[in-house]
Amino acid sequence: MPVAILAPHDKTGLTEFAQRLVEMGYEIYSTGGTRNHLSEVGVAVQPVSALTGFPEVLDGRVKTLHPAVHAGILARRDLPAHMAQLAEHGIAPIDIVCANLYPFRETIAKPGVTIADALENIDIGGPTMIRAAAKNHPSVLVLVDPDDYSDALEHLATEQLPLDYRKRLAAKAFQHVAAYDTMIARYLRDSDQLFPRELTIGLDKVADTRYGENPHQRGAVYRDPSPGAPKGVVGAEQLHGLEMSYLNYFDADAAWRCAIDFDEPAVVIVKHGTPCGIASHKDMAVAYQRAYDSDPISPFGGIIAVNRPVTWDMTEAMKGKRYDIIAAPDYEGHALERLRKRQDLRILQMASADRAYPDIEYRMLLGGMLAHEPDRARGSDLELRSVTKRPPTNAEADELRFAWTCVKHVKSNAVVIAKDHATIGIGGGQPNRLWPTRRAIENAGERIQGSVMASDAFFPFARGDAVEDACRAGVSAIIQPGGGARDDEAIEVCDEYGVAMVFTGTRAFRH
């Protein structure tokens, strides 16, 4: 008689699965809560102790850790010596292992959880059985996901269990255990172990995307399941529109990161991963219009992110403009109804507009990966050091902080020109600082008079270059990190034009 061990913590679909196995002639063994669950619904099930001849001990810490279990799982059916040893010791071969693990993730997410609580929810027997079954998958079927029960029953009913099918389930099982161990390691790591010698990343798949960055590339989106991980775009509820694509996620993330970096109400419009308009105003319609006016050409088909509820008046201002996505923490009732009429607009309701950062940000390389802490520096927290004869006025200093928050989200080399808490010129993504400056000046046009300019890094040249171009065009104040060999020259040029300049002492590269 074939044998199955059923010991999943997640009981979804388990009753029906076990009943079908019994109908197929399987002898079912289980442990603790799973055995009680199956017995209560009338499934014929025996305790694992009937296999091992040994009771559960240490408050259930040791149940399946026994040769009668693991020899039955690990014995190779194609090796007569293995089968002879099972017979010699009266051990039954185990054909199916169905298990998933203690709720460690859910436990550490509870408020006030103690280290003792967390340790008690680290599964030992489950991962051991799963790994053993996955190792011996040519002989043992291993199931860790209730979504696989139906397909497994169909294969079992027809007695068609090809090796490639077993192999896929084994790979899934090893990944399940690896993600579980990754969560535990991450929980136990101290803050000074942010970059351990060996690093694994455990993510949950959210969806396949229609394709990757281009149609000939495959793609998917994953989320960080760790308690306290930022929800972001991946955790948003889609209220309307077509499914999200790879680039939809990418661009929406860029817009949302920028929007939540502002304390005050803000609207951000992004195209191809970089802002083309940013504005702040207590009236969201005004903020939107100023963001749009920053660059009326680029927003077509772009992404809007808003860190406050979207109002009816804002949707009125959006009339006649095409966007792919709007992301906001909430929508006024009539505003949402109006936006739903746009068939080509994806509407995302964000879980929260709170500023939240991951512990580590990653970037893939060929054959490896970079990891660093996110940039948590905020414009409102900067200690501005005035370096010119004329210090900025209070109003200019406020504008400079706004411009600095904007420039953080533009691809380096980045330059932002702002006025009245709105961008009027954005330049970035160029191999020198002069070209982005000239692009921003050109876009600002006549609006540049009395504006401020932010640069994400120091100016390597000043006279006859970016600084002098900005001063000559009409910028009244400049914010930059400082630290360049020609800082004195930049200060001298600003003094000649009566322009205030401040240093932040910190850089804001975004590559």
Side-chain angles (χ1 to χ4, degrees):
M1 179 179 289
V3 174
I5 291 183
L6 308 184
H9 175 79
D10 180 357
K11 306 298 190 292
T12 304
L14 182 64
T15 299
E16 296 79 3
F17 181 62
Q19 288 171 337
R20 287 286 307 279
L21 288 180
V22 172
E23 292 169 4
M24 292 179 187
Y26 278 82
E27 193 168 27
I28 307 295
Y29 291 87
S30 194
T31 61
T34 304
R35 183 168 64 87
N36 293 337
H37 171 81
L38 292 175
S39 295
E40 288 171 3
V41 295
V43 175
V45 59
Q46 299 184 60
V48 167
S49 57
L51 272 180
T52 64
F54 199 88
E56 296 182 8
V57 296
L58 304 180
D59 299 319
R61 281 193 169 199
V62 179
K63 298 188 286 283
T64 59
L65 298 171
H66 192 279
V69 171
H70 287 280
I73 295 172
L74 286 165
R76 285 179 54 178
R77 311 310 196 254
D78 61 335
L79 292 182
H82 279 199
M83 302 311 292
Q85 288 181 54
L86 291 188
E88 178 185 352
H89 295 286
I91 296 174
I94 294 168
D95 303 287
I96 297 176
V97 171
C98 171
N100 47 57
L101 309 175
Y102 289 176
F104 182 80
R105 179 193 307 175
E106 293 79 1
T107 298
I108 61 174
K110 295 175 182 176
V113 64
T114 65
I115 184 69
D117 292 334
L119 294 178
E120 280 305 310
N121 279 278
I122 295 177
D123 203 327
I124 301 299
T128 307
M129 278 201 306
I130 290 169
R131 287 175 57 82
K135 172 176 177 166
N136 200 26
H137 67 268
S139 301
V140 182
L141 193 68
V142 58
L143 296 163
V144 297
D145 185 351
D147 287 345
D148 292 325
Y149 293 170
S150 177
D151 199 31
L153 288 170
E154 289 183 16
H155 280 80
L156 290 166
T158 60
E159 298 184 356
Q160 296 295 317
L161 292 162
L163 185 60
D164 62 342
Y165 173 68
R166 292 173 174 272
K167 182 181 176 183
R168 285 199 301 272
L169 290 177
K172 192 171 188 177
F174 277 119
Q175 190 64 70
H176 180 62
V177 175
Y180 189 78
D181 287 342
T182 296
M183 182 74 68
I184 296 168
R186 184 171 175 177
Y187 172 77
L188 294 176
R189 270 201 303 268
D190 293 328
S191 58
D192 61 351
Q193 297 175 296
L194 192 60
F195 304 109
R197 189 170 184 273
E198 295 178 312
L199 178 68
T200 54
I201 303 171
L203 303 174
D204 287 351
K205 188 176 182 179
V206 173
D208 290 309
T209 57
R210 284 177 295 163
Y211 49 79
E213 196 162 6
N214 296 290
H216 62 278
Q217 298 167 263
R218 291 183 294 175
V221 60
Y222 290 80
R223 70 179 181 89
D224 183 348
S226 305
K231 302 289 186 185
V233 174
V234 175
E237 179 184 0
Q238 186 169 348
L239 304 179
H240 176 75
L242 301 172
E243 65 179 347
M244 296 278 285
S245 71
Y246 176 97
L247 287 176
N248 287 155
Y249 279 109
F250 182 83
D251 290 340
D253 177 70
W256 184 246
R257 282 170 177 258
C258 185
I260 61 174
D261 215 10
F262 291 90
D263 294 320
E264 57 277 5
V267 173
V268 179
I269 305 175
V270 160
K271 191 72 175 290
H272 292 295
T274 195
C276 57
I278 306 169
S280 175
H281 194 277
K282 63 182 179 181
D283 185 327
M284 301 313 298
V286 174
Y288 162 78
Q289 191 61 54
R290 290 182 177 178
Y292 178 84
D293 289 342
S294 172
D295 175 3
I297 296 175
S298 299
F300 179 83
I303 315 296
I304 300 178
V306 189
N307 64 2
R308 297 291 193 278
V310 173
T311 64
W312 171 267
D313 288 344
M314 179 177 164
T315 65
E316 181 70 17
M318 291 169 58
K319 197 160 138 185
K321 310 297 191 302
R322 185 191 180 282
Y323 297 100
D324 279 359
I325 299 171
I326 184 168
D330 206 356
Y331 299 82
E332 291 183 357
H334 293 306
L336 181 58
E337 290 174 17
R338 184 178 198 173
L339 291 173
R340 283 183 188 273
K341 294 178 181 179
R342 296 178 175 228
Q343 295 302 313
D344 53 0
L345 178 67
R346 298 162 180 85
I347 303 173
L348 303 183
Q349 181 157 348
M350 310 304 293
S352 169
D354 294 338
R355 189 178 288 105
Y357 300 98
D359 294 334
I360 309 175
E361 291 184 327
Y362 306 98
R363 181 168 292 181
M364 297 302 299
L365 304 175
L366 285 175
M369 184 169 63
L370 292 169
H372 75 158
E373 293 180 286
D375 184 0
R376 296 184 175 89
R378 299 172 58 191
S380 57
D381 296 333
L382 290 175
E383 292 186 13
L384 304 183
R385 182 166 68 92
S386 180
V387 294
T388 48
K389 293 176 181 177
R390 183 180 77 79
T393 65
N394 290 338
E396 285 174 332
D398 190 40
E399 288 283 357
L400 289 169
R401 292 181 190 276
F402 169 83
W404 182 262
T405 303
C406 296
V407 84
K408 280 178 56 180
H409 297 274
V410 178
K411 298 293 177 66
S412 298
N413 288 309
V415 170
V416 164
I417 298 175
K419 188 175 185 178
D420 296 328
H421 280 64
T423 58
I424 57 174
I426 298 174
Q430 298 297 324
N432 62 63
R433 201 154 295 276
L434 177 59
W435 295 350
T437 303
R438 289 181 174 171
R439 169 70 182 88
I441 291 171
E442 178 186 0
N443 193 78
E446 295 180 359
R447 298 174 294 174
I448 200 170
Q449 298 302 318
S451 64
V452 303
M453 186 173 79
S455 172
D456 65 347
F458 65 77
F459 293 97
F461 306 101
R463 195 170 296 281
D465 206 273
V467 175
E468 189 163 24
D469 279 8
C471 292
R472 186 183 297 115
V475 163
S476 71
I478 297 174
I479 184 170
Q480 61 136 314
R486 289 184 169 86
D487 280 351
D488 289 344
E489 184 179 302
I491 294 168
E492 183 179 274
V493 169
C494 286
D495 284 337
E496 289 176 8
Y497 285 87
V499 171
M501 178 178 281
V502 298
F503 287 174
T504 64
T506 185
R507 198 174 67 184
F509 270 169
R510 182 175 179 79
H511 284 78

